[in-house]
Amino acid sequence: MNRPIRNLAIACLVLFAALMINVTYLQYWQADNLTSLTKHPDNVRVADSAFAEPRGAILVKGHAVAQSKKSGDRYKYLRTYPSGAEYSDVTGYFTRTLGIGGIEATQNDVLTGNSSSLFVNRVIDLLGNQNPQGGIVSLTINPAAQKAAYDGLRALGSRIQGAVVAIEPATGRILAMVSSPTFNPNRLAGHNFTKAKANYDRLLADKLEPLNNRAIELRLPPGSTFKLVTAAAALSSGKYTPNSLVPGGTTLNLPETSHVLTNENGESCGGPKITLTRALEVSCNVAFGTVGLKIGADAIKKQAEKFGFEQPPFFDDLDDQLTHQATSVFGTPDRPQTALSAIGQSDVQATPLQMAMVAAGIANNGEVMKPYLVNEISSADLGVVKLTPSKVLTAHAVSASVARELTEMMVGVVTNGTGRTAQIPGIQVAGKTGTAQSLASRPPYAWFVSFAPATSARVAVAVLIQDANVERNAISGSGLAAPIAKAVMEAVLNQ
Amino acid sequence: MELVHRRRRGAELFLLLLSLVVGIGAYAAVGIGVDGKVPADIITYGGSLSALVIAAHVTVRLKAAYADPVLLPIVSALNGLGLAMIHRIDLAPTGHPAHSKFAAAQLVWMMLGVLGFITVLVVIRDHRRLQAFTYTFGLAAVVLLLLPLLPGVGKTINGARIWIHVGALSFQPGEVAKVLLVIAFAGYLVLHRDALALAGRRVLFVDLPRGRDLGPILGMWLISLSILVFQNDLGSSLLFFGLFLVMLYVSTERPGWLLVGGVLFGIGAYFGYLTTAHVQVRVTAWLHPFAKDSGAYQLVQGMYGMAWGGLTGRGLGQGAPQTTPISWSDFILPSLGEELGLTGVLAIILLYGLLVERGLRTALICRDNFGKLMAAGLAFVFALQVFVVVGGVTRLIPLTGLTTPFLSQGGSSLVANWVIIALLLRISDQARRPPPEFSDVSEDMDSTQVVSMR
């Protein structure tokens, strides 16, 4: 019977070899796949352990706006947001069961210490037998500007719908980004998951969508602020100068239809013929409708594209599972609609970020910079690992001379036009108001874009008030939006 | 004269001490991993574990001095690791306080196992005497297998009706039946091997048995099928049939039986798949574990745990094995894989491999056919059981519920496996013991032949 026993031994060897190979496959080759939360989000072990790791802090000018504190419970660390709701649209939130968002999501690898850029630090931690430490993310945000933007929106009420974006024109660094209404991330990051879930569900059910980052996700007609793009196209076409005379009457008959285009208040813009500069100052619809028809939809669209309209998403610093940068659009208007598109109505839609970039592009001599939010990544001991370089999105959105002309026209808006409420004593401010109609049944949107100082600008701002629960006639870019822009600009300039 | 085996009891003691370092060390590591300090009861725990192992060792010294020196240390190491892991899961914050006493109960069961081990070595002085009980054991095994189906006594746990319940004691008779069946098969096949081995015709290079000799294998096949159908126990069904088939092959030296058995197994498996929802669920879960509603939650959790453990594991007490359902029993290997890593799992599989190898070696050197067959059967039962359960929890084959020998929480299994080791040691002792020496009788024809035992 020894021969079959020997065969049996070989068979058993094969069985055990199969087990060993399979286990090696499972625990070695398949391990990375099975422990990847993106591929297997239901792997609670990895999720739990990630939740129990100390995460790096998110800093703004050296102060933490998100940090991990020892919690003393089984998860060891609690993520806290010292500034509460003020930075929530930037930091996002870090939760065990409700997902993660904002910088917490997009910089997750850095914050957990798993980023390849922190590889050397990880090896050092490993050799020194220390627990790997999360990296630190420093933001481009200017705390004073952020506070001014947040307070400005809050002053209109906690349920006001709106957004503020401020950009440093020369670099594209985002100095402030606030959306309203917003949420307090501390209420989602707590370790009482039932309570956190209830809070989250309440936010999801809220009709005003507090989890939305209106600064990058919301696309609305930019109204008269879009006249900056039309003016840029007009000046660049060579057919117009700031002093060109344009029609300033009460109405413009739209071609091929019986519709007429009127001005905001139904009055004349100050005579049958006014300069282009004056037309911008008083935000003359008739004038810009005419200009639009003259230079044509294609020219305006090309100009808009140079500022970032219709482009693939270029701002990915907040691109998480829920949030994505909305692409601003110009559309393909027919001839009568071209007049409406030229004044930022019809199919034209822009995000607050996009309008801030229009202002920043003009402020930066026609060069549009790619906006970014992460200034630098550093290791736990604050050694800088990676500094985000500035990148050019469009080198010549307009020529330097056109940019200069546009700036002068925008200064006129603030000095003698609709933007007086944004004036800052002793400093030249360039700006443009907008009040966009959408439907007759709902209030218009108030916009304001600006930058200061007019020459060598340090800050460009876009403010959108989507709905402020005020009387219809109390809504205007100059009344609601411009004071907030002014406060943000002052906050930057006073430093 | 063939080679004379040495007793090697000193080597066994040395290996046993190493195995105690593994077992008690693992227990201490669990305490450090969970609470940050060596558990306070390490002395009592280590003491009782050592006492049990030493008692087993002393019995072997006294009653089976020539037995294989490696088997007992392997079992001691596996049992110690299992206890430490069950203790570790007891400590995990699962929110099931009822589970927190598994390790203590398992230690008691280990005590009973060692008691069974000692009893077997003391009572059974010669394994050949078991051959007399061939049919008694066979009948007892069948009765034990049927017991769980009796109303009032039987109990369905986790879908399988393989438990009996008397008073507060629940017990899996299949585990005991496993031991009895090996003995019964060995006794039966030793008697009938000639008929089963020789008669037959040759078809395409393979000797196929005669139709009239198919009786026993068909009978075993039907018993296995009924275990599957009536008790929903895929694992035991596979185990018993595989065991019988292999012992049939070993006794007859005839691969044709494997062919017949393989065909029967194929038919049975297909029939089982068609008729039993239980089997369909397991196969679907095996093929598509990550699909939605795959029914593979437990399997997937076990795999997540092992993957998370990676090469070196999270460390004892530092993983989350309690996430996997039944992590202390059927899924104890993924629990160990999570905390000891691939390294630990490979070591454990190697231990099982060594165990099987020592058992088959015993079969090879055994001088009587009954002992050979029994040792081969007992060794193979470990191999098959380990393959089915480890292959199941690591998704090599569809998952079937079987205990992992010596590691899983569960009394019947632990006691039965300790008894199997005792039987293997008994056969091994017989096999390695130097044969009796015959004195020279040519000079004096009148004197009786003197046989002296060493």
Side-chain angles (χ1 to χ4, degrees), chain B residues 206-210 213-214 217-218 221 241 245 248 254-267:
Chain B
V206 186
D207 282 318
L208 284 183
R210 289 181 305 183
D213 294 328
L214 289 176
I217 196 172
L218 281 176
W221 182 65
F241 188 68
L245 193 60
L248 187 59
R254 192 168 179 182
W257 281 116
L258 292 178
L259 196 71
V260 172
V263 169
L264 284 176
F265 173 79
I267 296 171

Side-chain angles (χ1 to χ4, degrees), chain A residues 191-380:
Chain A
H191 289 181
N192 182 341
F193 299 145
T194 329
K195 214 167 133 192
K197 176 86 166 71
N199 290 334
Y200 186 69
D201 287 343
R202 210 174 309 127
L203 291 173
L204 281 184
D206 192 330
K207 278 201 301 265
L208 301 188
E209 299 179 317
L211 288 172
N212 273 23
N213 184 349
R214 288 170 160 77
I216 59 171
E217 283 186 286
L218 182 69
R219 219 165 53 173
L220 288 176
S224 304
T225 55
F226 192 76
K227 286 169 185 162
L228 292 175
V229 179
T230 308
L235 295 175
S236 302
S237 71
K239 293 176 188 159
Y240 290 91
T241 67
N243 296 322
S244 299
L245 289 177
V246 289
T250 45
T251 57
L252 167 66
N253 291 318
L254 297 181
E256 301 163 24
T257 66
S258 56
H259 290 284
V260 290
L261 179 65
T262 60
N263 292 317
E264 173 67 24
N265 45 17
E267 293 165 8
S268 156
C269 298
K273 288 283 178 188
I274 55 173
T275 62
L276 192 62
T277 302
R278 186 61 191 160
L280 194 74
E281 283 171 8
V282 297
S283 196
C284 186
N285 289 350
V286 170
F288 277 92
T290 314
V291 170
L293 287 173
K294 186 106 178 258
I295 59 176
D298 286 349
I300 308 177
K301 185 167 184 165
K302 283 217 179 70
Q303 182 64 63
E305 284 168 0
K306 286 179 182 168
F307 281 114
F309 282 73
E310 311 270 9
Q311 300 295 321
F314 44 77
F315 178 68
D316 45 19
D317 281 356
L318 292 178
D319 215 21
D320 61 43
Q321 284 174 0
L322 292 174
T323 313
H324 302 283
Q325 177 212 334
T327 299
S328 301
V329 293
F330 178 76
T332 42
D334 57 20
R335 228 176 111 63
Q337 274 176 350
T338 300
L340 291 170
S341 295
I343 62 164
Q345 303 280 355
S346 187
D347 293 337
V348 184
Q349 290 190 323
T351 61
L353 173 68
Q354 179 59 67
M355 292 321 292
M357 286 168 65
V358 171
I362 296 169
N364 194 36
N365 301 319
E367 191 175 51
V368 181
M369 305 302 291
K370 182 180 182 294
Y372 66 99
L373 194 49
V374 175
N375 188 40
E376 67 182 34
I377 290 164
S378 42
S379 59

Side-chain angles (χ1 to χ4, degrees), chain A residues 1-9 12 15-16 18-20 22-24 26-28 30-31 34-35 40 42-46 49, chain B residues 193 246 249-251 253 290 301 304-308 310-311 320 323-324 337-338 342 345 349-350 360 364 369 372 380 391 394 396:
Chain A
M1 282 195 272
N2 281 358
R3 198 168 53 88
I5 292 175
R6 289 210 168 87
N7 289 344
L8 184 61
C12 289
L15 290 187
F16 281 102
L19 285 183
M20 287 179 159
N22 186 52
V23 168
T24 309
L26 175 64
Q27 293 199 267
Y28 184 71
Q30 236 189 339
L34 289 176
T35 51
H40 294 279
D42 58 331
N43 191 336
V44 290
R45 288 175 170 89
V46 179
S49 82
Chain B
R193 56 193 288 252
V246 162
Y249 164 64
V250 170
S251 64
E253 305 198 5
F290 299 109
Q301 290 307 315
Y304 281 166
M306 293 186 82
W308 196 42
L311 278 184
T323 316
T324 313
E338 177 172 351
L342 177 62
V345 173
I349 295 177
L350 267 179
L360 290 176
L364 276 180
N369 285 339
K372 261 187 192 311
F380 181 68
T394 56
L396 181 62

Side-chain angles (χ1 to χ4, degrees), chain A residues 41-65:
Chain A
D42 58 331
N43 191 336
V44 290
R45 288 175 170 89
V46 179
D48 269 343
S49 82
F51 194 64
E53 292 289 325
R55 276 169 88 77
I58 302 176
L59 300 185
V60 165
K61 286 267 186 300
H63 291 281
V65 290

